[in-house]
Amino acid sequence: MTIRTTIILLTAPLFLMLAVVNGALLYFQERAEMARALDTQALSAAVTTAEFLAWPGNAERLLADPVRRKGLAAAAARIAGLDGLYLVRANTPPLALVPARRALAAVPARAPDRPIALPMAQAAPGARQVVALAPAGPGAYVLAAIDAEPLFARIERIKRIVLLIALAGGLIAALLAWLVARRIVRELDANARALAAIDGAGPVPDGGDLAIREARDLASAVRLMDASARAAELRDRRLALRRDQARSPQGALDGWRQDRFGPCERDLGGRRIATRLLGDAAPGCFIALASDAHRAAVVLGRCTGETPAQALANALAAKRYLEATLMTADPAECPAAECLAIARRAFALVEERTLAWTRADAATAPRLLALADPATEAAAAIHAGQHAGASPHELIESFAVLIAPAGVFAAIGPA
């Protein structure tokens, strides 16, 4: 669901509810006020007439004198909506004091103790009335009936007004929600274009025309991302340029050799082995580890070549060959000595140090196997003898710190 749809669905019902509530309040308030006004009008007519007729003999004189009845009719004609004005006595039909416009809805049997307005009644279809009673002497009362149809006609008009208010409120709410959502979507689209500009390495807008603070903050974050990305790209380019300027064949060979013959520590043939290329070892130096189910061997070797790159290539080939064949070939057909002889002829292997063992070997004293100059190899043997309790990793690291040797080294100890 889009932002525009979400805002409209959340805003329009709220405005519509407010319009309906306000319209309902207007409707009920107007109806109550008009009903009270009709009740008051009917009570006024009934009370005024009852006070006039309550004096002894006034009712008889009024009924007997045509002039008085004509004056009462003229006064009653000024009361808006008066349907009838009656004098009611006990056990007698209602007597019309003025000509009646409509029939009465109902006539109470007993005279009231005080002026009252009866609930709205219907004399005939389309002839609803408000009736008020007022005592007019012993056993008599005056009844005034007011036409209530104008009230209901006005209520119908109010209903239509309420409906129009609700409809207008809904339309206004939808319009306002659409305008707000359009503004938000426009500013989010501006930020989306800024992000797309970052991906496309294009210019990022500054977001100065954004009116929503959160959208401006997001635009600022996008610009910060763009600045960070450009700074990182510039840094990477500078580092790459610096590496290109500092690159040399020897550096490439050293990096390749460290990648292929980097520090290694693993279990092999029931022993723990740690290997290192230390110092300025020759380009053709390598380390080969081989094992099968019962035997294992480590070979430190040095190959030669017409160039350092050729020596490194021979070393890599010799390592792969020895690891593939040294422990997998049948000792009767191709013993280890024969595999090493083949490597010497094929890969210009000029020097090697080999240590082999079986899983059944009981000797677990650490050994430090070295391929270096004679003094360094002798120092490695002494160092291993003096650190019989050290692990292979500790043994080779401590020797590297103390002697700073150059060559290939492998420390073998108990797993």
Side-chain angles (χ1 to χ4, degrees):
M1 190 160 48
T2 63
I3 292 179
R4 184 180 289 108
T5 305
T6 302
I7 293 178
I8 291 176
L9 291 179
L10 292 177
T11 306
L14 177 61
F15 274 78
L16 189 61
M17 182 185 68
L18 292 176
V20 170
V21 170
N22 288 333
L25 291 176
L26 174 64
Y27 170 78
F28 289 111
Q29 183 178 1
E30 286 291 327
R31 177 170 179 169
E33 289 180 357
M34 287 188 291
R36 282 196 300 269
L38 288 179
D39 289 345
T40 302
Q41 186 177 358
L43 282 171
S44 298
V47 169
T48 302
T49 305
E51 288 295 328
F52 176 71
L53 298 178
W55 291 93
N58 272 2
E60 288 72 12
R61 286 193 294 272
L62 175 65
L63 297 176
D65 190 348
V67 176
R68 290 189 176 184
R69 295 192 67 173
K70 186 177 179 180
L72 179 61
R78 298 179 182 178
I79 301 175
L82 182 65
D83 272 353
L85 190 63
Y86 301 88
L87 175 64
V88 183
R89 290 175 173 171
N91 302 321
T92 60
L95 178 62
L97 300 177
V98 296
R101 294 174 54 194
R102 291 186 178 89
L104 278 175
V107 178
R110 297 178 55 188
D113 297 333
R114 56 184 178 81
I116 59 172
L118 301 179
M120 192 174 300
Q122 185 166 350
R128 284 165 288 198
Q129 293 176 335
V130 173
V131 176
L133 309 178
Y141 64 90
V142 173
L143 184 151
I146 301 294
D147 184 12
E149 289 303 320
L151 166 67
F152 287 95
R154 186 169 180 181
I155 287 175
E156 289 298 323
R157 289 196 298 271
I158 292 175
K159 286 181 180 179
R160 290 192 291 271
I161 292 173
V162 169
L163 181 61
L164 290 175
I165 290 174
L167 181 61
L171 292 177
I172 292 173
L175 178 61
L176 291 177
W178 183 82
L179 291 175
V180 172
R182 182 171 177 268
R183 170 63 64 87
I184 294 175
V185 169
R186 182 179 67 84
E187 302 203 353
L188 290 179
D189 287 342
N191 284 306
R193 288 192 298 272
L195 288 172
I198 292 178
D199 293 337
V204 178
D206 59 359
D209 59 339
L210 300 179
I212 301 176
R213 186 181 66 183
E214 287 76 6
R216 289 199 303 270
D217 294 341
L218 181 57
S220 299
V222 169
R223 291 196 301 276
L224 180 60
M225 290 168 54
D226 177 58
S228 299
R230 291 180 184 276
E233 183 181 0
L234 180 60
R235 184 189 64 237
D236 292 342
R237 284 202 302 267
R238 288 178 176 175
L239 288 175
L241 180 60
R242 188 175 302 143
R243 287 195 298 267
D244 289 342
Q245 292 173 348
R247 185 174 294 142
S248 65
Q250 184 60 42
L253 288 175
D254 291 342
W256 182 261
R257 185 175 65 174
Q258 287 298 326
D259 179 65
R260 294 299 179 178
F261 303 114
C264 174
E265 189 172 0
R266 57 181 288 193
D267 290 334
L268 188 73
R271 302 289 185 269
R272 188 71 174 173
I273 299 176
T275 62
R276 296 289 189 277
L277 281 176
L278 298 177
D280 189 16
C285 291
F286 69 89
I287 305 164
L289 301 175
S291 67
D292 61 8
H294 305 287
R295 300 171 299 158
V298 57
V299 179
L300 309 182
R302 181 173 65 85
C303 297
T304 60
E306 296 179 359
T307 62
Q310 183 63 46
L312 179 58
N314 287 337
L316 291 171
K319 169 184 169 64
R320 287 193 295 268
Y321 170 75
L322 292 175
E323 289 181 344
T325 61
L326 194 61
M327 290 291 115
T328 58
D330 187 351
E333 297 179 359
C334 184
E338 183 65 24
C339 291
L340 290 173
I342 294 173
R344 292 189 187 97
R345 293 192 301 269
F347 308 113
L349 179 61
V350 295
E351 193 175 8
E352 53 83 19
R353 302 288 184 272
T354 303
L355 179 63
W357 67 90
T358 64
R359 290 183 178 272
D361 287 344
T364 58
R367 292 280 306 273
L368 185 55
L369 188 65
L371 177 59
D373 59 87
T376 302
E377 292 183 8
I382 295 172
H383 185 78
Q386 293 176 346
H387 297 80
S391 67
H393 173 76
E394 294 171 346
L395 184 63
I396 200 169
E397 290 294 336
S398 61
F399 183 70
V401 171
L402 292 174
I403 308 299
V408 192
F409 300 85
I412 302 96

